[in-house]
Amino acid sequence: MQKADRERQKNALALSKILLSPIAGEIENKRLLIVASEILQYLPFAAITSPKTENQFLIETNEIVNLPSASALARLRKTERKPSAKDLAIFADPIFNGDDARIRPASNFRSNFQRLDFSREEAQRIASLTRPDKRLIALDFQATLQNLRSTDLRQFRLLHFATHGTLDSRFPELSGIVLSLVDEKGNAQEGFLRLSEIYNLKLNAKMVVLSACETGLGNFIKGEGLVGLSHAFMFAGTESVVASLWRVDDYATSELMQRFYQALLKEGLPPAQALQKAQISMIKEKGLNNPFYWSAFTLQGEWK
């Protein structure tokens, strides 16, 4: 682990010198809007070394926003949005297997997905930051594709998914978000919110948060950037997306999300600042300070 960490620090410093040192004097303490190309879109800029202070991460000195392309922001700002009637809709802690303790009696259905033990606490803590009449929290057997389809998502300002994400780089249309795959009787049911369906959603959200693995990845298309879940949600009508670049840790993700929403909903910070504050708080906490735990999540799209 120590060897890997030293290698990470070495690479983070090298990347900083290549990418940021030439403009170090111009970006000090400023918001960075990053439109990365090809392989750089997989890079967690938050975790590379600050060009001014080699003992700090870039996120500690700069607010960071990612854009899939220069044209994406212009399209987002042309879209007219009405004020949302409700604050938050959460789909979390779905049921993936027939032997889940929430099913009685158990069934033989099995999937390749395991329960995310901390996603429930994450969802409940986040929900507690909003008024009961201003939120929807769909857990367990309510975190279903059918429930999502029957809900008017346009009434919510924020959408939060705490579940598994799937990435299929060979067949991108098969990528998606996994909701409950089993009903109350242990029978298999349709539960994959596929990329094509996301593109056709009708949203009015300020932000969609994909608290799941690899949700910020996709296929690179010239002029559009990475086309995947984030791109699909923005096409469907959200201003911004928080998504991840790799397979994230369940507990650390829950911690990051709770801190992010605390800053967003209780302190009133804009999304990019709220994410920055949450990540910095984890940098300062032993056991969570490794970039693996906090730097996977990026804000894409509008930052205001």
Side-chain angles (χ1 to χ4, degrees):
M1 178 66 78
Q2 290 182 346
K3 181 179 179 181
D5 201 46
R6 288 195 299 270
E7 189 68 19
R8 176 195 57 76
Q9 293 174 358
K10 177 183 175 181
N11 291 335
L13 179 58
L15 282 168
S16 178
K17 288 181 177 179
I18 294 171
L19 299 173
L20 302 176
S21 289
I23 55 172
E26 300 176 37
I27 66 172
E28 189 172 3
N29 298 318
K30 292 183 179 179
R31 177 187 299 118
L32 303 183
L33 305 183
I34 298 175
V35 182
S37 62
E38 300 189 22
I39 194 64
L40 289 180
Q41 296 189 78
Y42 296 86
L43 176 67
F45 277 84
I48 67 176
T49 304
S50 172
K52 281 287 188 178
T53 53
E54 294 186 1
N55 62 340
Q56 286 185 300
F57 294 106
L58 184 62
I59 194 64
E60 295 181 88
T61 58
N62 295 84
E63 183 183 325
I64 299 174
V65 180
N66 293 268
L67 293 171
S69 66
S71 60
L73 184 61
R75 290 200 303 269
L76 289 171
R77 290 185 170 177
K78 285 181 180 179
T79 303
E80 293 186 9
R81 291 178 175 81
K82 298 179 180 179
S84 300
K86 297 187 177 182
D87 292 327
L88 176 65
I90 299 175
F91 291 82
D93 198 16
I95 298 173
F96 306 119
N97 296 291
D99 61 353
D100 190 293
R102 292 168 285 182
I103 297 176
R104 289 290 182 268
S107 76
N108 294 323
F109 176 80
R110 299 291 183 275
S111 73
N112 293 324
F113 304 99
Q114 297 300 316
R115 186 177 185 181
L116 298 171
D117 294 329
F118 294 97
S119 63
R120 188 181 198 83
E121 178 183 355
E122 172 187 326
Q124 291 174 330
R125 291 284 184 85
I126 292 169
S128 71
L129 299 172
T130 61
R131 285 170 38 186
D133 62 327
K134 293 289 187 178
R135 70 185 184 226
L136 166 69
I137 177 168
L139 305 172
D140 309 319
F141 297 108
Q142 297 302 311
T144 64
L145 185 60
Q146 180 181 2
N147 193 11
L148 182 142
R149 287 171 172 169
S150 63
T151 300
D152 182 6
L153 298 176
R154 292 172 295 184
Q155 63 185 315
F156 296 101
R157 181 168 61 93
L158 303 170
L159 299 178
H160 184 88
F161 294 89
T163 180
H164 287 289
T166 63
L167 173 69
D168 193 318
S169 56
R170 186 177 180 186
F171 301 105
E173 66 276 10
L174 298 180
S175 300
I177 294 170
V178 189
L179 298 172
S180 285
L181 301 175
V182 190
D183 65 17
E184 291 91 335
K185 297 180 180 179
N187 299 317
Q189 65 182 6
E190 183 184 9
F192 289 95
L193 178 61
R194 300 292 188 190
L195 191 69
S196 59
E197 185 166 358
I198 295 171
Y199 271 107
N200 289 310
L201 292 175
K202 303 299 182 183
L203 303 180
N204 185 45
K206 292 284 291 183
M207 182 171 61
V208 172
V209 178
L210 305 177
S211 182
C213 296
E214 301 178 322
T215 49
L217 303 182
N219 277 19
F220 179 77
I221 297 179
K222 190 173 182 179
E224 290 295 331
L226 284 178
V227 175
L229 297 179
S230 297
H231 188 276
F233 274 107
M234 284 191 278
F235 186 89
T238 187
E239 288 187 357
S240 61
V241 178
V242 173
S244 64
L245 298 175
W246 57 75
R247 299 185 68 84
V248 293
D249 178 82
D250 184 20
Y251 172 72
T253 296
S254 176
E255 280 293 316
L256 178 68
M257 290 300 164
Q258 291 177 53
R259 299 175 193 204
F260 169 56
Y261 276 96
Q262 176 68 29
L264 184 75
L265 296 176
K266 286 301 182 184
E267 299 174 33
L269 295 181
Q273 289 183 28
L275 182 59
Q276 180 188 33
K277 182 170 183 178
Q279 290 175 321
I280 290 175
S281 74
M282 293 182 69
I283 292 170
K284 295 178 179 178
E285 186 167 331
K286 187 176 180 181
L288 293 174
N289 56 354
N290 190 292
F292 170 75
Y293 294 119
W294 55 263
S295 67
F297 285 94
T298 64
L299 176 73
Q300 301 182 34
E302 182 61 82
W303 62 88
K304 296 182 179 179

